[in-house]
Amino acid sequence: MNEENQLKISKSIFLVPVVYVVSIWFVYWVEIQFDFNFNKLGVYPRTLEGFKGVFLTHFIHSNTSHLFNNSIPLFVLLTSLFYFYKDVAFKVLLVGGFFSGFLTWCIARESYHIGASGIVYLLFSFVFFSGMIKKHFRLVALSLIIIFLYGSMIWYVLPIKDGMSWEGHLSGFLVGLVFAFLFKNKGIVKQEHQFTETEFDTMFDENGNFVQPVLEDENEK
C-alpha cells in the first residue's frame, strides 16, 4: 500500500476507537444499573479460573475515574493506530491485547487485575517505538506528540502507586515494544533515496574528477 492510500482519511479509522470506548462504558453502565461486580472476571495470575481475565480484563473498570482516565488515551491512540498503521492495526490490538493480558497473568501479584490500561500502554509503546524505528518523518512526529501527551505514563510501569496494576502496564508496554520491531517493515516505511544519473553526472569519473568532453573535429568527415 503506497503512502497516499495509507494516510487517506476515512470514517473507518474512527469506527474501532468509538466502538471500543462505548463498549467499556456500556459494560460499566451494566454493572451500575444491575448492581453487578465484574472485578472477578479480571486477570487473576497463574490460576485457570483467572485466565479468562486475559480476554475480559480490558473491558472492566473499578470506577468512573478509572474508566475516564483510560477512555481519552484509548480513543487518541486507537485513532492514531488505525490511521498510521492500518495494515497491522487489528493484529496489534487483538493479538497484542491477548499477549498483554497473558503476560500479566504470568508475572503479576496475586490479585484481580482489571482495566484497559494494558491496551493503553500497548498502543503507547507500539506507536512511539514504531515511529522511532521506522524513522519516517510523519511517524517520528507522531511519536513526539505521543510522548508529549502521555510521556508521564512511563512511570506507572513501576510499582509507585498502591492499588494500581503496574504489572498490566508493564506487560502492555513490553508487548508494544516487541510488536514495533516485528512490524517495522509493514505499512509506512522510510523510502531509501534512489540515485538517478543525469547528463551532468556523466561529466565526472568515478573519483569525482572532471572529464574533458571530446569535441568532434569539424573537418572530420
Side-chain angles (χ1 to χ4, degrees):
M1 180 181 292
N2 61 43
E3 187 171 324
E4 289 185 2
N5 291 332
Q6 178 75 20
L7 297 178
K8 184 177 180 181
I9 297 178
S10 65
K11 295 180 180 179
S12 62
I13 67 173
F14 299 106
L15 179 61
V16 172
V18 169
V19 169
Y20 193 0
V21 172
V22 169
S23 296
I24 61 177
W25 278 93
F26 176 75
V27 170
Y28 186 71
W29 175 83
V30 170
E31 285 191 271
I32 301 301
Q33 184 70 19
F34 299 100
D35 196 26
F36 291 149
N37 188 332
F38 293 153
N39 286 8
K40 291 188 177 181
L41 296 178
V43 172
Y44 197 90
R46 297 172 297 282
T47 65
L48 185 60
E49 182 180 357
F51 189 77
K52 62 181 178 293
V54 171
F55 304 95
L56 302 177
T57 184
H58 309 304
F59 297 91
I60 305 169
H61 293 81
S62 57
N63 52 54
T64 52
S65 177
H66 187 200
L67 183 58
F68 183 78
N69 289 338
N70 281 336
S71 296
I72 295 178
L74 264 178
F75 183 81
V76 172
L77 292 168
L78 278 172
T79 302
S80 300
L81 178 71
F82 278 86
Y83 180 61
F84 289 97
Y85 299 95
K86 61 183 65 175
D87 286 352
V88 298
F90 280 106
K91 291 180 181 179
V92 172
L93 178 60
L94 300 178
V95 181
F98 168 78
F99 280 108
S100 297
F102 178 72
L103 187 56
T104 303
W105 184 82
C106 291
I107 69 172
R109 65 193 184 279
E110 293 184 355
S111 178
Y112 286 102
H113 297 259
I114 59 173
S117 300
I119 296 292
V120 171
Y121 276 81
L122 164 73
L123 300 175
F124 165 78
S125 178
F126 175 79
V127 172
F128 174 73
F129 287 112
S130 186
M132 295 294 103
I133 292 168
K134 291 188 175 188
K135 298 180 180 178
H136 186 285
F137 72 97
R138 285 192 176 96
L139 301 183
V140 170
L142 175 64
S143 296
L144 296 176
I145 292 171
I146 293 302
I147 202 67
F148 174 77
L149 292 175
Y150 302 114
S152 61
M153 292 186 353
I154 191 66
W155 297 110
Y156 295 105
V157 301
L158 302 172
I160 62 175
K161 185 176 181 180
D162 293 336
M164 179 177 288
S165 179
W166 64 270
E167 301 97 328
H169 299 170
L170 179 62
S171 297
F173 185 85
L174 293 177
V175 172
L177 174 60
V178 171
F179 273 44
F181 279 99
L182 288 178
F183 296 133
K184 65 181 180 179
N185 296 321
K186 298 290 185 179
I188 301 174
V189 294
K190 182 179 179 181
Q191 298 295 325
E192 295 294 334
H193 176 70
Q194 299 294 325
F195 176 76
T196 302
E197 188 176 63
T198 65
E199 185 176 349
F200 179 78
D201 296 315
T202 62
M203 299 173 63
F204 299 86
D205 63 20
E206 59 183 12
N207 297 316
N209 299 314
F210 178 72
V211 177
Q212 184 70 33
V214 178
L215 299 177
E216 185 177 353
D217 190 346
E218 294 181 356
N219 296 323
E220 183 177 349
K221 294 184 180 180

